[in-house]
Amino acid sequence: MPVRVQTEDFDVSAEVAALRADCPQIGAVVTFIGTVRDMNEGSNVAAMELEHYPGMTEKALQNIVDEAKQRWQLGDALVIHRVGPLLPKDQIVLVAVTSAHRGEAFDACEFIIDYLKTDAPFWKKEQTPQGARWVDARVTDDEALKKWHIDLALQGGEK
């Protein structure tokens, strides 16, 4: 299954091995691993909690992967996103993409993470010395997504 939302951590090596098993035509594997930082917007972050809507989140992630597969010739793509309480240095997300050539794998991986950062239905709450706070979307994430010329129908309306 190319999309998973889970509370437990993931083993990057095992996930990549499974993704490329029995695929001798694969010449490139590109991965992105997002982790919890101990600082955000000038404040120490002691912990973070990620919330989502089961069913809706997986569907949104699958739409992102499907769009990448339409844009590039990929062997496969995998997105694992964690939810629940997390601490600094914990892994949050894994995006792994395989293809015959590195250029397509790099582009597809970057596309998936850019799209995921703006349109996947996750909500982050950070614990800081000033108290708990919800994390808003970053303008830089919206700017990164613009280069991909996303079809507005995929996003469910105009942006």
Side-chain angles (χ1 to χ4, degrees):
M1 183 173 171
V3 168
R4 294 197 320 259
V5 177
Q6 61 192 45
T7 56
E8 60 275 354
D9 200 4
F10 49 83
D11 178 336
V12 176
S13 183
E15 296 296 346
V16 168
L19 190 64
R20 58 187 291 245
D22 301 321
C23 296
Q25 70 277 17
I26 297 304
V29 178
V30 173
T31 60
F32 171 85
I33 302 162
T35 60
V36 179
R37 294 184 305 266
D38 67 349
M39 289 285 293
N40 189 29
E41 298 179 5
S43 292
N44 291 326
V45 175
M48 178 173 64
E49 184 155 359
L50 281 156
E51 296 181 6
H52 77 299
Y53 283 125
M56 184 173 95
T57 302
E58 290 84 353
K59 183 177 178 184
L61 294 176
Q62 187 61 57
N63 288 344
I64 294 167
V65 169
D66 291 346
E67 178 69 13
K69 287 180 175 181
Q70 289 177 17
R71 289 173 178 242
W72 294 279
Q73 291 184 344
L74 304 180
D76 209 348
L78 170 70
V79 175
I80 301 173
H81 207 298
R82 294 180 65 198
V83 293
L86 299 166
L87 299 173
K89 300 194 294 182
D90 283 351
Q91 298 180 129
I92 304 169
V93 62
L94 169 65
V95 175
V97 177
T98 66
S99 70
H101 304 284
R102 71 180 182 272
E104 290 187 311
F106 274 110
D107 287 347
C109 188
E110 186 178 15
F111 168 83
I112 290 170
I113 196 64
D114 284 349
Y115 195 174
L116 187 150
K117 291 283 289 180
T118 58
D119 284 7
F122 290 101
W123 295 269
K124 294 182 197 177
K125 186 181 352 177
E126 294 176 335
Q127 298 296 331
T128 72
Q130 296 78 28
R133 68 179 181 197
W134 291 100
V135 178
D136 292 328
R138 296 174 185 264
V139 171
T140 55
D141 292 332
D142 289 332
E143 290 298 318
L145 190 61
K146 285 182 181 178
K147 73 180 170 194
W148 302 112
H149 307 287
I150 298 296
D151 180 357
L152 293 176
L154 291 172
Q155 297 180 330
E158 291 187 31
K159 281 215 165 191

